[in-house]
């Protein structure tokens, strides 16, 4: 049986209309190295200082033909993809792409939740290599879900992968931001989708040393700011950007912590 833990974020992938452009952009902004996956030059691995954290590939033709823009796809771990798919369908989710084996890597499926946010389920072929501690530079440190049903999303993912509510704060006219996690450790937040965004979506955050500097690099490299660098409760700083091809992405820097 796979040792992939249930409910942890295990991979992140950008599907883009310009792979070479995306490689140049994210290596400059986040500091990743772009390496080919094995002998398959069509798939790029994002390498952080601690190892692989995600990938990059061309937006599939069928998605492009359907009008899909470039986007980031978030993978949630499970010990058994097929069992979790069955549970997701019982809870109102639907299969976008059925279970598929990646030789030597694992098994995945693409789903959407009951209101349409797309995500992946993934079971690794080998031992779990998920970092369960604080995210290090270049790793993914937070995950937001903008949705049309905050209560419904928390119920769906809670039943599916075991996430629990771990806090909330009031965003004023933007609604209530409700955090989720495992074992009391926050992993992300759920909030009402902004009216101008056409569909519910997952938004991953990569950890950088300096959000303001990374945001400036993103704009210089052809990206755009969706939300300029700002401080969030607890003192951390974040920014939300779109890359030159239009995929939305976020950056996070931890606040300086007092010396022990």
């Amino acid at each position: 049986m796979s040792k992939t833990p249930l409910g942890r974020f295990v991979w992140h992938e950008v599907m883009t209309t310009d792979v070479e452009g995306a490689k140049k952009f994210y290596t400059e902004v986040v500091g990743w190295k772009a390496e080919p996956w094995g002998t398959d030059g069509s798939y790029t691995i994002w390498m952080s200082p601690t190892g692989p954290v995600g990938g990059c590939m061309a937006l599939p033709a069928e998605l492009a033909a359907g009008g899909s823009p470039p986007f980031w796809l978030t993978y949630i771990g499970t010990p058994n993809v097929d069992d979790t798919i069955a549970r997701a369908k019982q809870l109102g989710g639907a299969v976008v792409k059925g279970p598929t084996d990646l030789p030597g890597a694992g098994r995945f499926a693409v789903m959407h939740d009951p209101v349409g946010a797309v995500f992946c389920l993934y079971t690794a072929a080998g031992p779990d290599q998920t970092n369960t501690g604080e995210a290090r530079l270049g790793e993914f440190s937070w995950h937001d879900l903008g949705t049309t049903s905050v209560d419904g999303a928390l119920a769906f993912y809670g039943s599916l992968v075991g996430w629990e509510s771990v806090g909330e704060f009031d965003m004023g006219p933007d609604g209530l931001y409700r955090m989720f996690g495992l074992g009391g450790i926050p992993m992300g937040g759920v909030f009402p989708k902004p009216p101008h965004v056409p569909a519910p979506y997952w938004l991953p955050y990569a950890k950088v040393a300096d959000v303001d500097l990374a945001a400036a690099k993103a704009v210089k490299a052809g990206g755009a700011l969706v939300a300029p660098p700002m401080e969030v409760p607890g003192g951390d700083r974040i920014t939300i950007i779109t890359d030159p091809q239009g995929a939305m992405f976020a950056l996070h820097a931890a606040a300086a912590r007092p010396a022990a």
Side-chain angles (χ1 to χ4, degrees):
M1 175 176 291
S2 169
K3 295 182 180 179
T4 304
L6 181 66
R8 297 198 180 278
F9 295 101
V10 295
W11 196 250
H12 304 79
E13 185 175 87
V14 63
M15 295 189 175
T16 181
T17 51
D18 181 0
V19 169
E20 291 304 314
K23 288 160 64 173
K24 185 173 186 296
F25 179 81
Y26 288 102
T27 54
E28 291 181 3
V29 173
V30 185
W32 292 325
K33 292 182 179 179
E35 297 184 0
W37 179 41
T39 58
D40 184 358
S42 68
Y43 194 86
T44 296
I45 300 289
W46 299 124
M47 296 293 295
S48 78
T50 56
V53 294
C56 174
M57 62 178 286
L59 183 70
E62 61 271 23
L63 293 183
S68 173
F71 67 99
W72 275 86
L73 190 57
T74 297
Y75 286 64
I76 302 170
T78 171
N80 189 302
V81 163
D82 299 77
D83 288 350
T84 307
I85 286 174
R87 177 63 177 157
K89 292 166 69 175
Q90 291 175 351
L91 295 168
V95 177
V96 177
K97 178 181 177 64
T100 303
D101 288 320
L102 297 170
R107 185 169 172 83
F108 79 100
V110 185
M111 307 286 299
H112 67 67
D113 67 21
V115 296
V118 177
F119 64 99
C120 277
L121 295 169
Y122 182 74
T123 298
D128 171 43
Q129 298 180 343
T130 306
N131 174 27
T132 58
E134 182 176 351
R136 295 157 293 198
L137 293 180
E139 296 180 343
F140 286 85
S141 55
W142 196 254
H143 300 80
D144 274 344
L145 173 61
T147 181
T148 52
S149 176
V150 171
D151 288 340
L154 290 169
F156 172 79
Y157 292 102
S159 295
L160 184 66
V161 295
W163 293 341
E164 57 199 11
S165 295
V166 294
E168 61 184 42
F169 61 88
D170 192 343
M171 301 189 297
D174 293 327
L176 197 64
Y177 185 90
R178 298 178 63 184
M179 292 181 289
F180 63 87
L182 288 172
I185 300 174
M187 298 165 58
V190 183
F191 60 94
K193 175 186 71 64
H196 65 276
V197 178
Y201 63 97
W202 276 102
L203 177 68
Y205 289 65
K207 192 171 185 179
V208 295
D210 186 325
V211 155
D212 298 77
L213 177 60
K217 288 181 178 180
V219 172
K220 185 176 180 180
L225 298 183
V226 176
M230 69 184 83
E231 187 172 306
V232 294
D236 291 4
R237 288 182 70 75
I238 66 167
T239 187
I240 301 173
I241 64 177
T242 55
D243 67 22
Q245 291 72 47
M248 191 161 62
F249 190 66
L251 301 166
H252 162 234
R257 311 298 185 203

